[in-house]
Amino acid sequence: MGPSAAAPPAVPPDPDAALGDVCFVAFDLETTGCTAASDRTVEIGAVRFDLAGRELGTFEELVNPGRPIPANVIRVHGITDAHVVDAAPMAAVLPRFLDWIGESGAPPVLMAHNARFDMGFVGAGLHRAGLTAPAAPVIDTVRLSRRRMPTERSHSLKNCAARFGVTNDRAHRALSDARALMAVFLNLVQRPPAVRTVGQLDALCGCGPLRAEIATPRGGVTTGSSTGVGWPRRRRRYEPPPGDHAALTAAIATRTTVRIVYDGGTKGVAARSVTPRSLRRRGGELYLFAWCHTDAKEKQYRVDRIREVTTR
């Protein structure tokens, strides 16, 4: 079976595109277990939306895994063998899902929470069905949460949703989780300093495109005859949104002490109280020179490793 005519466009979104001009698809899968090579999908749910938070469409379909659903898994998502006995298999559901993704016409950005898990099951389904992976790149909102809120200890969907006051009445059902993910994503990217472009978003939490392959537990893959295209797999170094520079520049001008969250040095990701002195480039990198009140000495901080800047 080949890809359907309504499959997503062959060109991924322009990295310089503003997020307000992009269509997003938050998706979630419920499965029979944790390993894409040996387990199967039982439900796919997704919501299409824009940066304004407008819901543009939904997809929700049960999938017959062709095998019994383990009791311990049923206790998590509540989907039983009786629910899926008359459902279509993954080979029939996936083309409909790809059609639905492609309905918007514009190159979409897909997202999932702990995206490697969902990407693994979709990729395995594509491979088994002989389907071509779509061009749409995928971002991981767990990574995004860790980048945007590095001082938080948990980045589970449940805790992220609670942090932003997002209600998820049917947790562990695919569409409900996808809707919760949409709300969490919007809160994260709009949190000052706002993420403004597709390229910034990719650098923060991009996972590359979906691939029609079955990943094995030891890290190997069984690759299909064709794979999707998307942003290059080479990871680009994280560049902070413009607001970070503005906050530091203002602090330098007013000699204001600020709180930064810095991802580097012996402390790892940690908050520091600093009085910025200047911004200087060295060896192609931009550094903040500041008096560190935490360590009581002058220090240098690479600006691309500063995750947050707030006034005291």
Side-chain angles (χ1 to χ4, degrees):
M1 181 185 298
S4 57
V11 179
D14 182 353
D16 294 325
L19 294 189
D21 298 331
V22 175
C23 172
F24 300 98
V25 171
F27 72 101
D28 182 73
L29 273 63
E30 302 302 330
T31 66
T32 63
C34 298
T35 306
S38 56
D39 292 305
R40 297 294 187 271
T41 300
V42 298
E43 187 178 43
I44 300 176
V47 57
R48 184 188 301 116
F49 64 98
D50 61 18
L51 192 64
R54 292 175 296 197
E55 190 173 299
L56 306 176
T58 61
F59 182 94
E60 183 180 30
E61 193 161 341
L62 289 167
V63 181
N64 190 328
R67 62 185 62 187
I69 303 172
N72 63 314
V73 177
I74 292 173
R75 286 194 290 271
V76 175
H77 52 51
I79 300 172
T80 68
D81 295 337
H83 288 127
V84 299
V85 66
D86 294 324
M90 191 66 159
V93 175
L94 264 181
R96 293 197 283 268
F97 182 47
L98 298 184
D99 282 351
W100 177 83
I101 291 174
E103 284 176 2
S104 66
V109 173
L110 305 182
M111 68 185 68
H113 208 67
N114 189 23
R116 289 297 180 189
F117 175 87
D118 299 274
M119 290 173 73
F121 276 88
V122 172
L126 291 168
H127 175 77
R128 294 185 184 107
L131 296 171
T132 301
V138 184
I139 64 167
D140 185 353
T141 48
V142 170
R143 290 185 186 180
L144 180 61
S145 180
R146 287 173 178 161
R147 289 284 196 175
R148 301 293 277 165
M149 307 190 76
T151 59
E152 295 292 343
R153 298 185 64 180
S154 173
H155 299 275
S156 68
L157 182 58
K158 176 182 177 180
N159 287 332
C160 286
R163 198 169 292 139
F164 295 119
V166 176
T167 301
N168 187 359
D169 293 329
R170 300 178 70 209
H172 298 296
R173 291 303 300 266
L175 180 56
S176 186
D177 280 358
R179 281 189 165 124
L181 176 55
M182 174 186 80
V184 167
F185 168 79
L186 291 171
N187 275 282
L188 287 171
V189 295
Q190 293 170 0
R191 189 172 187 268
V195 181
R196 303 186 186 283
T197 69
V198 169
Q200 287 178 354
L201 186 63
D202 175 43
L204 277 168
C205 56
C207 292
L210 287 167
R211 295 182 179 274
E213 62 189 20
I214 301 175
T216 68
R218 293 182 180 273
V221 295
T222 301
T223 307
S225 58
S226 58
T227 60
V229 295
W231 289 316
R233 291 182 68 85
R234 178 177 62 84
R235 298 291 299 128
R236 282 178 283 171
R237 182 169 54 80
Y238 169 66
E239 291 289 349
D244 282 351
H245 293 87
L248 293 174
T249 302
I252 292 167
T254 58
R255 298 182 180 180
T256 301
T257 298
V258 296
R259 175 184 177 275
I260 65 171
V261 175
Y262 190 66
D263 185 1
T266 58
K267 294 185 177 67
V269 179
R272 294 166 169 81
S273 177
V274 303
T275 301
R277 308 292 197 198
S278 63
L279 289 168
R280 306 178 208 168
R281 285 202 176 272
R282 283 189 173 179
E285 302 290 351
L286 183 64
Y287 286 85
L288 170 68
F289 287 72
W291 175 261
C292 178
H293 297 274
T294 305
D295 294 339
K297 62 181 179 180
E298 290 282 349
K299 298 192 73 171
Q300 304 170 25
Y301 302 96
R302 269 179 50 172
V303 173
D304 64 299
R305 292 179 177 171
I306 297 174
R307 302 296 178 237
E308 185 176 325
V309 182
T310 54
T311 56
R312 298 181 67 188

